[in-house]
Amino acid sequence: MDKDAPQIEFPINIHNLQQKFLDCLVQGNESQAINIISNLLFSTISKERIIFDIILPTLNILNDMYDRGKISESEKLLVSNTAIDLVLMTKFVSTTDTPKLRAYSVVVSGSEEATYLARIASVTLHLMGWHSLYLGNVENKIDPFFDIDIQRLISKKLKNVNGLSAVMIFSFNANTLKFLSNTVNALRKKFENNLRIAVYTNNDLLQVSHEMDVDYSTTELRALIDWAKDEYRNTLS
């Protein structure tokens, strides 16, 4: 473990560590924040818990601090990007080999505000053993031909796989959410209905998402991951 990082006591107290991580980011001590996560990656705590119990709550608090005027937009961007970099670090720093599952996903964002959550979901699926592809934010890419473009990509990556296929749409924009859900739904027949579609959105659009032809919609990231786990278990039964 890095000696310069705030001391990690055993047994690990997740709440205290999350607070230390937040304090380091807010105070501008990015190197110490990085060290906290680096040290945890080589502890007994799972990478999924690092993301859901430390990094994600910190991002939520930072967004709340920004909404209340406690930090500036540039400060929010700086610390949020540092936190997202650490999420990616959990993907590429391997302490054990996770068995690869017969589960495949394409994760796409349809609004800037949902992009970091889409990235976190894709990394978490990877850590679970899924073959997960992160497409990024397509909000400003949509034109009259983009539906064909994205359908070709999804078909290329998911149609002929041997296992569970899923597309996960993250969007807080009603128009983009509808466009993406309709675009992906048009592929169901080509997949012989063997394509799952899930939506992550905000409370304002949750009812709208329920009216779409999707398999699951939620405002909670952990609930979405749990749904993915259940869907995969169902393919094994």
Side-chain angles (χ1 to χ4, degrees):
M1 288 191 175
D2 195 310
K3 295 180 180 179
D4 294 330
Q7 185 177 359
I8 296 178
E9 300 175 354
F10 293 89
I12 293 175
N13 186 312
I14 292 294
H15 176 75
N16 289 346
L17 274 178
Q18 189 272 319
Q19 186 61 52
K20 289 179 181 178
F21 179 63
L22 173 64
D23 291 343
C24 287
L25 288 176
V26 172
Q27 294 166 11
N29 295 325
E30 288 88 0
S31 61
Q32 288 194 351
I34 292 169
N35 287 336
I36 288 175
I37 302 302
S38 298
N39 290 342
L40 283 173
L41 287 173
F42 294 95
S43 71
T44 57
I45 186 172
S46 72
K47 292 179 181 179
E48 191 173 332
R49 286 201 69 193
I50 294 172
I51 291 175
F52 277 94
D53 294 343
I54 296 179
I55 299 178
L56 186 57
T58 297
L59 284 168
N60 291 337
I61 292 171
L62 290 170
N63 285 332
D64 182 63
M65 291 176 67
Y66 171 73
D67 291 340
R68 292 186 289 114
K70 299 295 185 181
I71 59 174
S72 68
E73 184 168 1
S74 58
E75 287 174 317
K76 176 192 171 186
L77 286 172
L78 177 63
V79 295
S80 295
N81 284 331
T82 299
I84 293 300
D85 286 345
L86 293 172
V87 171
L88 293 175
M89 187 169 71
T90 66
K91 177 178 179 179
F92 295 111
V93 175
S94 248
T95 52
T96 57
D97 291 327
T98 302
K100 281 298 180 183
L101 306 178
R102 289 192 301 154
Y104 303 80
S105 66
V106 171
V107 180
V108 57
S109 172
S111 63
E112 184 63 33
E113 301 86 349
T115 298
Y116 80 91
L117 291 162
R119 174 60 64 90
I120 291 173
S122 182
V123 171
T124 303
L125 290 166
H126 171 84
L127 296 177
M128 288 161 45
W130 284 52
H131 304 262
S132 182
L133 301 175
Y134 171 66
L135 186 55
N137 180 17
V138 302
E139 183 177 17
N140 296 321
K141 306 294 183 182
I142 295 174
D143 59 35
F145 302 101
F146 189 70
D147 57 341
I148 298 173
D149 190 310
I150 197 170
Q151 285 172 350
R152 285 175 177 169
L153 175 69
I154 293 171
S155 295
K156 180 179 179 180
K157 298 298 183 181
L158 299 182
K159 185 178 179 182
N160 297 316
V161 301
N162 181 21
L164 173 64
S165 298
V167 176
M168 300 184 183
I169 302 167
F170 286 68
S171 184
F172 301 158
N173 179 310
N175 291 331
T176 309
L177 182 59
K178 291 177 182 177
F179 172 85
L180 289 171
S181 64
N182 290 337
T183 298
V184 178
N185 258 309
L187 290 173
R188 283 198 193 262
K189 289 184 179 179
K190 293 183 180 180
F191 280 71
E192 298 179 350
N193 293 320
N194 190 30
L195 177 67
R196 310 293 198 280
I197 304 173
V199 165
Y200 178 97
T201 189
N202 56 21
N203 287 322
D204 292 338
L205 295 178
L206 185 61
Q207 185 57 45
V208 173
S209 69
H210 287 329
E211 296 167 2
M212 297 175 180
D213 186 15
V214 299
D215 299 291
Y216 186 72
S217 57
T218 183
T219 60
E220 297 292 335
L221 188 56
R222 192 185 292 272
L224 178 63
I225 296 301
D226 287 341
W227 170 83
K229 291 178 179 178
D230 289 341
E231 288 296 303
Y232 182 71
R233 278 193 292 265
N234 290 339
T235 66
L236 302 177
S237 59

